[in-house]
Amino acid sequence: MEKNKKLVGAIILLIVIVAGVSFLAVNEYRKNKEMAEVFAVEKQEMENEYSAFATQYDELQVQINNDSLREKLESEKLKTQRLLEELRQVKTTNAAEILRLKKELKTVRAVLRTYVIQIDSLNRLNAALMEENQEVKSKYSAATAQINTLSQEKKNLNEKVSLAAQLDATNISALPMNKRGKKARKVKDVKKIAISFTIVKNITAETGNKTIYVRIAKPDNDILSKGNTTFAYEDREITYSIKKYIEYTGEEQSVTVYWDVEEYLPAGTYTIYIFADGNMIGQNSFTMK
């Protein structure tokens, strides 16, 4: 009799364990499925943008007679098509590769914008070419509208699960201050620079102590620093200006850091780069006259 009771108890315990493991497996499956949906939308959005850029390179070449510039455009188009093909081969579960190609997309976008401005300037006085340029812009707008539609779908999916656990810094601003702690109107009066930003809410990010690194680049791209201040980023050591420790809880958090001016600052545009957990999580620029 006692032996039967032990056997029944063991069976019940086994059932409870199996039920618990099944619940966790189902929950993990649902989470992975939702993240796969997010990455699928992200991937499709990027494919459309790469395709639009490749098409625009073709249409830009039609507008010019400069062989050297046309060769550069062709080279950039081939690069864009190569990245598009790489993206099409990537699985939606390969988050690292999708993020890499997303960074590449930012570079392609910036280079394309530079060429558009250059060619627009060269063709400013030619009415016929201006009409062709307008047609390019119309096609680009149509592609952008499609991308925006996919972005909205991605946003809806992001309400269920965050695309990644990487932190994100927004609302980045800088306030140059004089010796009285007021806003300095001229760069020669700046004694301190207050840099403020917001770490957005991210329920999938790891909580706890975080080290925030801020890099301030002068107009000549030289980084403001005090001594040998570096941190690891993409398999190398880079200089930072300010280091800040925070306790991250997963909720939105406002952060302000200060740079004490002890060196000569030239007038011009300065760029702020913010890093955490080995990733660049935000950037912005400000100008001092």
Side-chain angles (χ1 to χ4, degrees), residues 45 69 94 97 124 135 150 160 176 179 195 265 274:
E45 176 184 325
L69 183 55
N94 193 340
E97 189 66 7
R124 191 175 300 276
E135 181 180 351
L150 289 169
K160 298 180 179 179
K179 62 183 180 181
I195 298 173
L265 295 181
I274 302 174

Side-chain angles (χ1 to χ4, degrees), residues 143-201:
T144 301
Q146 184 178 8
I147 292 168
N148 287 338
T149 298
L150 289 169
S151 295
Q152 184 59 45
E153 293 179 13
K154 182 186 71 175
K155 180 180 179 181
N156 293 336
L157 288 171
N158 279 341
E159 293 176 356
K160 298 180 179 179
V161 61
S162 174
L163 177 62
Q166 177 179 319
L167 297 182
D168 187 21
T170 60
N171 302 322
I172 303 169
S173 64
L175 176 63
M177 298 186 295
N178 57 29
K179 62 183 180 181
R180 296 187 303 276
K182 304 295 184 180
K183 180 179 180 179
R185 298 189 178 278
K186 296 183 179 179
V187 67
K188 66 183 182 64
D189 297 326
V190 177
K191 300 300 180 184
K192 182 176 292 188
I193 301 174
I195 298 173
S196 300
F197 52 92
T198 300
I199 304 295
V200 301
K201 178 179 179 179

Side-chain angles (χ1 to χ4, degrees), residues 31 76 181 236 255 264:
K31 181 178 178 181
E76 292 297 333
R236 59 193 177 100
V255 180
Y264 167 74

Side-chain angles (χ1 to χ4, degrees), residues 256-272:
T256 300
V257 296
Y258 298 91
W259 174 261
D260 292 321
V261 177
E262 299 173 352
E263 61 282 290
Y264 167 74
L265 295 181
T269 299
Y270 290 68
T271 304
I272 302 167

Side-chain angles (χ1 to χ4, degrees), residues 6-282:
K6 290 182 178 180
L7 178 60
V8 170
I11 293 173
I12 292 173
L13 178 60
L14 180 61
I15 292 172
V16 170
I17 292 173
V18 170
V21 171
S22 299
F23 173 78
L24 292 175
V26 170
N27 188 55
E28 184 65 21
Y29 171 78
R30 289 176 179 173
K31 181 178 178 181
N32 291 340
K33 182 179 179 181
E34 289 174 345
M35 291 194 73
E37 290 175 350
V38 173
F39 281 124
V41 172
E42 180 84 1
K43 182 172 179 289
Q44 184 60 54
E45 176 184 325
M46 290 166 60
E47 285 185 16
N48 279 322
E49 195 161 3
Y50 270 123
S51 296
F53 288 162
T55 299
Q56 191 168 5
Y57 273 120
D58 274 334
E59 293 171 336
L60 287 175
Q61 291 182 67
V62 175
Q63 303 179 33
I64 58 175
N65 296 318
N66 186 308
D67 291 339
S68 177
L69 183 55
R70 185 180 288 112
E71 288 178 2
K72 292 179 180 179
L73 290 171
E74 179 66 19
S75 176
E76 292 297 333
K77 184 193 76 172
L78 293 176
K79 176 183 177 182
T80 302
Q81 290 175 334
R82 175 178 58 79
L83 291 170
L84 172 60
E85 190 58 34
E86 288 182 19
L87 179 61
R88 285 172 173 166
Q89 300 300 321
V90 172
K91 295 182 179 180
T92 57
T93 54
N94 193 340
E97 189 66 7
I98 289 176
L99 289 175
R100 180 187 72 80
L101 291 169
K102 188 174 183 180
K103 290 180 180 179
E104 292 279 8
L105 183 60
K106 291 182 179 179
T107 301
V108 172
R109 187 185 297 112
V111 171
L112 178 57
R113 186 181 297 112
T114 299
Y115 280 120
V116 169
I117 293 172
Q118 181 180 353
I119 293 172
D120 182 67
S121 178
L122 291 173
N123 298 336
R124 191 175 300 276
L125 301 180
N126 192 314
L129 291 180
M130 284 293 288
E131 291 179 359
E132 292 181 14
N133 188 50
Q134 185 59 45
E135 181 180 351
V136 170
K137 291 180 179 178
S138 297
K139 291 181 179 180
Y140 183 73
S141 296
T144 301
Q146 184 178 8
I147 292 168
N148 287 338
T149 298
L150 289 169
S151 295
Q152 184 59 45
E153 293 179 13
K154 182 186 71 175
K155 180 180 179 181
N156 293 336
L157 288 171
N158 279 341
E159 293 176 356
K160 298 180 179 179
V161 61
S162 174
L163 177 62
Q166 177 179 319
L167 297 182
D168 187 21
T170 60
N171 302 322
I172 303 169
S173 64
L175 176 63
M177 298 186 295
N178 57 29
K179 62 183 180 181
R180 296 187 303 276
K182 304 295 184 180
K183 180 179 180 179
R185 298 189 178 278
K186 296 183 179 179
V187 67
K188 66 183 182 64
D189 297 326
V190 177
K191 300 300 180 184
K192 182 176 292 188
I193 301 174
I195 298 173
S196 300
F197 52 92
T198 300
I199 304 295
V200 301
K201 178 179 179 179
N202 189 336
I203 61 173
T204 65
E206 183 179 352
T207 59
N209 294 325
K210 299 285 184 181
T211 304
I212 306 296
Y213 296 97
V214 178
R215 280 163 53 96
I216 307 173
K218 296 191 293 187
D220 62 0
N221 290 324
D222 188 27
I223 304 299
L224 293 175
S225 66
K226 300 186 188 298
N228 184 23
T229 54
T230 63
F231 69 101
Y233 177 66
E234 293 186 349
D235 299 323
R236 59 193 177 100
E237 293 291 321
I238 64 175
T239 301
Y240 68 84
S241 306
I242 306 168
K243 180 166 66 174
K244 174 79 171 180
Y245 298 106
I246 66 170
E247 177 72 22
Y248 185 65
T249 63
E251 298 297 325
E252 181 175 289
Q253 186 171 346
S254 297
V255 180
T256 300
V257 296
Y258 298 91
W259 174 261
D260 292 321
V261 177
E262 299 173 352
E263 61 282 290
Y264 167 74
L265 295 181
T269 299
Y270 290 68
T271 304
I272 302 167
Y273 303 93
I274 302 174
F275 297 79
D277 298 330
N279 300 302
M280 188 173 77
I281 64 174

